[in-house]
Amino acid sequence: MSADQKTELEAAAFRRLVAHLQERTDVQNIDLMNLSGFCRNCLSRWYGEAAAEQGVDISKDAAREIVYGMPYAEWKAKYQTEATDAQKAAFDGAAKDHS
């Protein structure tokens, strides 16, 4: 496999992951964090960091819009729910595990 092919496959996998997360609005970021250690916000931050490494200026809001498929504030208003006590406790436990 060539380096270009590898890059194209990685890009295709990224696009599929983003599309999947955009479709699964029922999955809250805190659930993603508790299960996998990353969420949509992490992914958008990584996107912005990768852009910066390439000398591309992209704002935090623009990177989030790429990942969320809409402005972050709109996504939050439509789909984000209040975290339950159980979700918060799991998040706090996971944060301690990563310290």
Side-chain angles (χ1 to χ4, degrees):
M1 176 184 327
S2 73
D4 286 345
Q5 287 171 319
K6 184 175 186 272
T7 298
E8 287 301 317
L9 294 173
E10 290 168 346
F14 171 79
R15 288 189 297 269
R16 189 165 178 181
L17 172 62
V18 167
H20 181 75
L21 291 173
Q22 289 175 359
E23 291 170 9
R24 290 299 310 269
T25 56
D26 59 309
V27 178
Q28 297 295 301
N29 280 333
I30 194 165
D31 294 323
L32 290 170
M33 286 297 294
N34 288 341
L35 293 172
S36 65
F38 83 99
C39 68
R40 292 170 184 88
N41 290 332
C42 298
L43 194 57
S44 65
R45 188 182 74 245
W46 299 337
Y47 189 93
E49 290 169 358
E53 288 172 8
Q54 296 293 320
V56 176
D57 185 30
I58 186 168
S59 71
K60 180 178 177 180
D61 289 337
R64 281 185 170 178
E65 190 164 339
I66 289 166
V67 171
Y68 282 90
M70 64 185 68
Y72 179 58
E74 182 180 337
W75 191 93
K76 280 178 54 175
K78 285 184 174 182
Y79 304 113
Q80 188 166 310
T81 60
E82 181 67 30
T84 65
D85 289 340
Q87 288 170 317
K88 291 175 187 176
F91 181 79
D92 289 341
K96 288 177 187 170
D97 290 343
H98 292 296
S99 300

